[in-house]
Amino acid sequence: MVGLIVAAVLVLFALFVAAKTVRIIPQARAGVVERLGRYSRTLTPGMTIVVPFIDRVRPLLDLREQVVTFPPQPVITADNVSVGIDTVLYFTITEPKSATYEIANPLQAIEQLTVTTLRNIVGSLTLEQALTSRDEVNDRLRIVLDERTGKWGIRINGVELKSIDPPGTIQEAMEKQMRAERDRRAAILTAEGVKQSAILTAEGEKQSAVLKAEGGKQAAILRAEGEAQAIDTVFQAIHAGDPDPKLLSYQYLQMLPQLARGDANKIWVIPSEFTQALSNLSGFAADVTERQRKPEPPPPPAVTPGDPAA
């Protein structure tokens, strides 16, 4: 019975020693081995063998990129405005030995370093610059943190300002300012629209007036050409008919009432040619009367066949 107990104890001891001797390191993990209290080596992913009771493996370190969110920190800007800033930090452990022995609490150290650096950077900017220059603040903060954490075996991959929260009164004033700016832009756009509308209307009226003038000009030209052609036709017809002065005087007297017609004609001066036309017309009337009084000559006698006179 005692032999069985001893054998069982030996088997358990052998299993315990085997568990302490063979260690399996997962992927993206790293382990620091200390031999008799001093650093010995860094274990990489895979199976490895350590000396039990002499080598000690410290807790494994995660080599993947890690994300840490820090609570809001009060920061005073250059224009004396207190704002709360949330930061998000992305980092990766590159040297497990340095991350184990160079810094006791890396997360707390990174948080405090982030807060102090953020206060230095944002403290040199106004509130408006801090709100509009996040990329610049992120880059400057990442460079400073990466330089300080390099000796700790930690690489800072990026720092992001999650939010910048000014006081409520400042937010209300900023909202009023933005509302006033939007109203100003809307008024400017409305004025620009009215201006463009007036310009287009004026251009349309100008083009319409030009087209109307061109149309009136063409109509006047065509009307004048038509009248000229009509006058030329009448003139040619008159010359072709070879009228005597008496007929021309009669036509002249017929045109005189039309010349005197009109509301604007208050005084009508009788032309000097009027008397000459009347004299010609009176001569023409006398000739007509004389012709009517003079008897017509008798027709010649008819000649019959067989007449000796014929």
Side-chain angles (χ1 to χ4, degrees):
M1 186 65 182
V2 176
L4 292 176
I5 295 175
V6 172
V9 170
L10 292 177
V11 170
L12 293 176
F13 181 75
L15 294 176
F16 177 76
V17 170
K20 290 292 185 180
T21 302
V22 179
R23 298 296 300 271
I24 297 177
I25 308 300
Q27 184 67 31
R29 298 291 191 279
V32 176
V33 178
E34 295 178 348
R35 176 165 294 179
L36 300 178
R38 299 184 62 180
Y39 172 76
S40 175
R41 67 184 188 277
T42 300
L43 300 180
T44 57
M47 186 179 66
T48 184
I49 297 176
V50 297
V51 179
F53 307 108
I54 297 177
D55 295 339
R56 185 174 73 92
V57 180
R58 295 180 64 90
L60 300 180
L61 299 176
D62 195 344
L63 302 181
R64 296 173 296 179
E65 184 175 14
Q66 302 182 46
V67 181
V68 179
T69 302
F70 299 136
Q73 299 295 330
V75 180
I76 300 177
T77 60
D79 49 355
N80 297 324
V81 178
S82 179
V83 295
I85 301 180
D86 294 347
T87 54
V88 179
L89 184 68
Y90 302 86
F91 70 94
T92 304
I93 297 177
T94 57
E95 294 291 338
K97 177 183 176 182
S98 300
T100 302
Y101 297 107
E102 295 293 338
I103 185 70
N105 192 339
L107 291 180
Q108 183 180 4
I110 292 174
E111 179 181 1
Q112 296 302 319
L113 182 60
T114 301
V115 172
T116 55
T117 306
L118 186 62
R119 287 177 177 174
N120 292 333
I121 294 175
V122 177
S124 61
L125 303 175
T126 62
L127 177 60
E128 185 176 358
Q129 291 175 345
L131 292 174
T132 58
S133 304
R134 291 194 178 189
D135 293 337
E136 180 181 356
V137 175
N138 294 338
D139 294 338
R140 292 174 60 182
L141 189 60
R142 183 188 60 80
I143 291 174
V144 174
L145 292 177
D146 197 25
E147 291 178 355
R148 295 292 300 274
T149 59
K151 62 180 181 179
W152 300 342
I154 298 174
R155 182 178 69 247
I156 304 299
N157 299 325
V159 181
E160 297 292 339
L161 300 182
K162 187 176 180 181
S163 63
I164 300 178
D165 299 325
T169 56
I170 301 298
Q171 289 184 0
E172 184 178 358
M174 292 173 63
E175 290 177 358
K176 291 181 179 179
Q177 181 181 1
M178 293 300 298
R179 191 179 301 112
E181 182 66 21
R182 293 190 184 96
D183 294 340
R184 184 182 69 86
R185 293 179 181 177
I188 291 175
L189 292 177
T190 302
E192 289 290 338
V194 173
K195 176 182 176 182
Q196 292 295 330
S197 177
I199 291 174
L200 293 177
T201 302
E203 289 290 338
E205 293 178 353
K206 175 183 176 182
Q207 293 179 4
S208 176
V210 170
L211 292 177
K212 288 180 179 179
E214 289 290 337
K217 175 183 176 182
Q218 295 295 330
I221 292 174
L222 294 176
R223 192 180 302 111
E225 291 179 353
E227 292 178 357
Q229 292 179 1
I231 293 173
D232 184 66
T233 302
V234 173
F235 182 77
Q236 291 180 3
I238 291 174
H239 280 273
D242 192 14
D244 55 0
K246 298 177 180 179
L247 179 59
L248 294 178
S249 299
Y250 178 72
Q251 293 293 332
Y252 178 75
L253 292 175
Q254 285 184 340
M255 289 298 297
L256 287 177
Q258 297 181 4
L259 295 175
R261 187 179 304 169
D263 298 334
N265 294 332
K266 303 298 182 180
I267 299 175
W268 184 56
V269 179
I270 300 175
S272 60
E273 293 84 358
F274 180 73
T275 56
Q276 184 179 359
L278 287 177
S279 62
N280 294 333
L281 186 61
S282 61
F284 176 72
D287 292 341
V288 172
T289 304
E290 184 179 357
R291 290 178 182 178
Q292 290 178 355
R293 290 179 180 180
K294 186 177 181 180
E296 295 182 359
V303 179
T304 58
D307 192 351

